[in-house]
């Protein structure tokens, strides 16, 4: 059996039953960076502590937001070897309020997490992908909160020894805006 203690994901996307709105507004154009400690996990315990940094590019007078460069996991020995692909990730703001209300969640499309072979190949390569969902917490500075199972990504490289399905990639933690032209504001 595979013994991967890794996961990851990038920043932004939330989950709770919200309805997507066509008129998302991401505020001032520019690049906004979010960073913070997260816990990641794939198949078995214990979870691994990492630092995650992700940049969100806002363009079109605030009408579009995308993650255009790969998020970075750092610290420890496992975190730095986990990578992200399928960029860019478009950001879709969602919420339960009406038009013009603050976003409550963000959904990032096509996120793929790649886990290389570990421990000299004793643990095979793995991958997870899908829509990454996170909670959006407006404020000064704003935050992105990952909360399992909302932020989980489905396994896309099942290990034959574990059957056709495996545990998802999980991430838990909070990222805080560390740079940008202003505090990022998002409305639906």
């Amino acid at each position: 059996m595979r013994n991967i203690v890794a996961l990851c994901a990038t920043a932004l996307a939330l989950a709770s039953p919200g309805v997507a709105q066509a008129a998302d507004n991401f505020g001032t154009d520019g690049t906004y960076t979010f960073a913070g400690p997260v816990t990641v996990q794939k198949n078995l315990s214990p979870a691994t502590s990492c630092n995650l940094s992700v940049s969100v590019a806002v363009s079109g007078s605030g009408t579009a937001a995308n993650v255009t460069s790969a998020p970075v996991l750092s610290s420890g020995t496992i975190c730095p070897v986990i990578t992200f692909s399928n960029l860019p990730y478009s950001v879709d703001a969602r919420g339960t309020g009406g038009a013009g209300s603050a976003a409550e969640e963000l959904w990032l499309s096509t996120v793929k997490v790649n886990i290389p072979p570990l421990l000299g190949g004793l643990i095979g390569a793995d991958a997870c992908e899908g829509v990454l969902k996170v909670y959006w917490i407006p404020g000064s500075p704003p935050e992105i909160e990952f909360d399992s199972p909302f932020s989980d990504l489905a396994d896309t490289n099942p290990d034959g020894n574990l059957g056709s399905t495996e545990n998802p990639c999980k991430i838990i933690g909070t990222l805080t805006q560390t740079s940008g032209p202003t505090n990022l504001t998002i409305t639906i």
Side-chain angles (χ1 to χ4, degrees), residues 58-69:
V58 174
S59 60
S61 297
T63 60
N66 295 282
V67 175
T68 56
S69 60

Side-chain angles (χ1 to χ4, degrees), residues 46-117:
T48 300
S49 296
C50 301
N51 289 314
L52 176 62
S53 176
V54 64
S55 294
V56 178
V58 174
S59 60
S61 297
T63 60
N66 295 282
V67 175
T68 56
S69 60
V72 176
L73 282 170
S74 60
S75 75
T77 56
I78 295 174
C79 303
V81 299
I82 299 168
T83 62
F84 295 85
S85 60
N86 286 352
L87 292 146
Y89 310 140
S90 63
V91 180
D92 180 24
R94 298 188 178 210
T96 56
S101 65
E104 298 168 355
E105 57 189 47
L106 304 171
W107 293 29
L108 284 78
S109 64
T110 69
V111 173
K112 183 171 184 180
V113 176
N114 307 291
I115 304 165

Side-chain angles (χ1 to χ4, degrees), residues 90-172:
S90 63
V91 180
D92 180 24
R94 298 188 178 210
T96 56
S101 65
E104 298 168 355
E105 57 189 47
L106 304 171
W107 293 29
L108 284 78
S109 64
T110 69
V111 173
K112 183 171 184 180
V113 176
N114 307 291
I115 304 165
L118 300 172
L119 300 176
L122 292 173
I123 300 172
D126 211 341
C128 294
E129 67 182 294
V131 175
L132 178 61
K133 301 172 184 176
V134 297
Y135 291 102
W136 173 250
I137 303 168
S140 185
E143 296 178 325
I144 297 167
E145 181 181 14
F146 295 87
D147 189 11
S148 185
F150 298 124
S151 297
D152 294 356
L153 290 174
D155 183 274
T156 56
N157 189 23
D159 183 331
N161 294 327
L162 295 176
S164 61
T165 61
E166 287 186 36
N167 293 327
C169 290
K170 297 181 178 196
I171 187 167
I172 298 172

